[in-house]
Amino acid sequence: MPVRYDPSLEQVQPDEAETIASLTGSLRKISETTFEDYGHAVRSVHAKGHGLLKGTLRVLGHLPPTLAQGLFAHPAEYPAVLRFSTNPGDVLDDSITVPRGLAVKVIGVEGERLPGSEADATQDFVMANAPAFLAPDPKAFAGSLKLLARTTDTPQGLKKMVSTVLRGAEAVVETFGGESAMLKSMGGHPSTHILGETFWSQVPLRHGDYVAKYSVAPLSPALLALKDAKVETGGRPDALREEVKAFFREQGGEWELRVQLLTNRETMPVEDASVPWPEEESPYIAVARISVPSQPAWDAERVREIDDGMAFSPWHGLEAHRPLGGIMRARRPAYEDSARFRGTRNGCPVHEPRQG
């Protein structure tokens, strides 16, 4: 049976506030460095967008009570915005292959809000294309971010060479049936189509009375056909963006939003974000579908409205989907600081849409 949410599932460490301050400082350093380079403020992580899409999230009917929670309590349709990205805080040539991200903003969601988002009416899901986070806790995350902050200004030519070597190493690992999250995170991600990816929340959130991780997976045949599809990045610094634009110029796509309920406190930890929850104990189950029609996936108007004008944060949402665990607690001030920095430097406030 699913484990009911209880505050005791979280354990705040005595020095967590200091760790989060260090983490936020590293992210601010990345933002300041890239602002000096570009003259325009970008996100401190997931700076480069590859697709900005508008569609509809439809909550499925006839869900069992354990799944019909929060946003998914009743069948309904909501406008949704999707932003595909890659994870560094600097805007890199796509031949430097790194993990991918998907942020989903569901618009017009009513209910008890999380602190700081009382004036909003959205529910955000922030995901990456791996089932678990690279770091187990805020302290380990802060250590890796210090290294990332120091390498933000590294010349792209060097990063391209490193990425080529790491991709080769990752290919060898995969030949023997494995994969390395570390190699992928450092630039060894395969050169594959971003629309063929499955994305995970990686870390848990409340699912109403319960606790869950979330996933968004391709559903329509044209998207499923892009799984592991190779993309040529040589001489194409924005190859992924070009591929997303070409796809949605001709057709639409559909994804499933899935839920994995926490059913075992021992094998499904809340505080250790680096542990994938075993799907043989609790499989991901569809609770909603996201449909996106054919449309321009990237243009100047959408960049102003979405890429520059919106912030995506797991803390923009309902109390019924409160982020849990140290990594999620650390994200809150970091995301808030990044949004303020972008709004101040770019001369326009980052906003939360209330309706489509």
Side-chain angles (χ1 to χ4, degrees):
M1 290 294 295
V3 174
R4 286 189 169 269
Y5 167 74
D6 187 279
S8 66
L9 288 167
E10 296 188 275
Q11 294 96 40
V12 178
Q13 299 303 309
D15 60 349
E16 189 166 286
E18 292 81 0
T19 301
I20 292 174
S22 171
L23 189 153
T24 304
S26 294
L27 290 171
R28 169 57 75 93
K29 182 179 180 180
I30 293 172
S31 294
E32 291 173 345
T33 299
T34 54
F35 179 70
E36 289 180 7
D37 290 344
Y38 311 142
H40 185 85
V42 297
R43 289 167 171 81
S44 54
V45 290
H46 291 274
K48 187 172 185 178
H50 302 286
L52 306 171
L53 304 171
K54 294 182 178 181
T56 301
L57 181 140
R58 178 170 60 86
V59 178
L60 301 180
H62 307 294
L63 295 175
T66 53
L67 295 177
Q69 300 281 326
L71 169 65
F72 311 102
H74 307 285
E77 289 191 0
Y78 301 93
V81 175
L82 286 71
R83 180 182 185 265
F84 289 88
S85 63
T86 36
N87 71 348
D90 43 354
V91 178
L92 301 176
D93 188 305
D94 286 352
S95 62
I96 304 167
T97 52
V98 288
R100 291 81 185 277
L102 170 63
V104 179
K105 187 180 293 291
V106 187
I107 301 169
V109 178
E110 301 296 339
E112 182 185 358
R113 307 291 304 177
L114 287 164
S117 73
E118 292 88 351
D120 305 332
T122 67
Q123 176 64 53
D124 290 6
F125 296 98
V126 180
M127 302 187 176
N129 66 325
F133 201 69
L134 191 62
D137 53 41
K139 186 168 290 187
F141 187 27
S144 64
L145 273 177
K146 286 182 179 179
L147 174 61
L148 185 63
R150 288 197 297 270
T151 60
T152 297
D153 245 2
T154 302
Q156 291 211 32
L158 177 58
K159 289 183 177 180
K160 288 180 184 180
M161 288 189 291
V162 171
S163 183
T164 300
V165 172
L166 293 174
R167 272 200 307 276
E170 174 61 21
V172 171
V173 173
E174 293 184 4
T175 297
F176 291 94
E179 63 177 315
S180 169
M182 181 63 71
L183 287 175
K184 287 183 175 182
S185 71
M186 294 171 63
H189 195 286
S191 296
T192 51
H193 204 302
I194 195 169
L195 294 179
E197 302 282 3
T198 294
F199 297 89
W200 291 266
S201 66
Q202 299 188 317
V203 282
L205 298 87
R206 282 190 63 176
H207 186 70
D209 293 334
Y210 304 96
V211 177
K213 291 185 179 183
Y214 295 90
S215 176
V216 170
L219 182 64
S220 54
L223 290 176
L224 289 169
L226 296 177
K227 177 176 170 56
D228 299 326
K230 299 298 182 184
V231 171
E232 178 55 53
T233 59
R236 301 174 67 199
D238 299 321
L240 296 180
R241 188 179 300 165
E242 292 170 5
E243 296 290 336
V244 175
K245 288 171 64 176
F247 182 93
F248 282 100
R249 187 182 303 123
E250 302 296 331
Q251 61 194 307
E254 190 172 33
W255 293 262
E256 277 187 339
L257 195 156
R258 301 168 178 172
V259 169
Q260 182 189 32
L261 292 172
L262 189 157
T263 59
N264 185 328
R265 287 174 178 251
E266 300 302 318
T267 60
M268 302 178 180
V270 168
E271 289 294 342
D272 188 343
S274 66
V275 177
W277 290 0
E279 293 187 45
E280 61 272 18
E281 293 188 39
S282 179
Y284 280 91
I285 302 173
V287 293
R289 289 186 176 180
I290 301 171
S291 300
V292 173
S294 174
Q295 61 189 275
W298 191 276
D299 57 30
E301 181 180 348
R302 290 204 172 187
V303 169
R304 286 193 299 271
E305 179 188 0
I306 300 173
D307 215 45
D308 286 341
M310 290 186 188
F312 295 85
S313 167
W315 289 90
H316 293 166
L318 301 175
E319 177 63 37
H321 300 300
R322 169 180 284 273
L324 302 175
I327 294 294
M328 285 298 221
R329 293 192 297 273
R331 279 179 166 180
R332 184 179 178 184
Y335 276 85
E336 291 171 351
D337 185 73
S338 178
R340 282 194 300 269
F341 185 87
R342 287 193 296 125
T344 301
R345 296 302 189 277
N346 293 339
C348 60
V350 175
H351 64 277
E352 278 289 287
R354 292 193 63 84
Q355 60 185 8

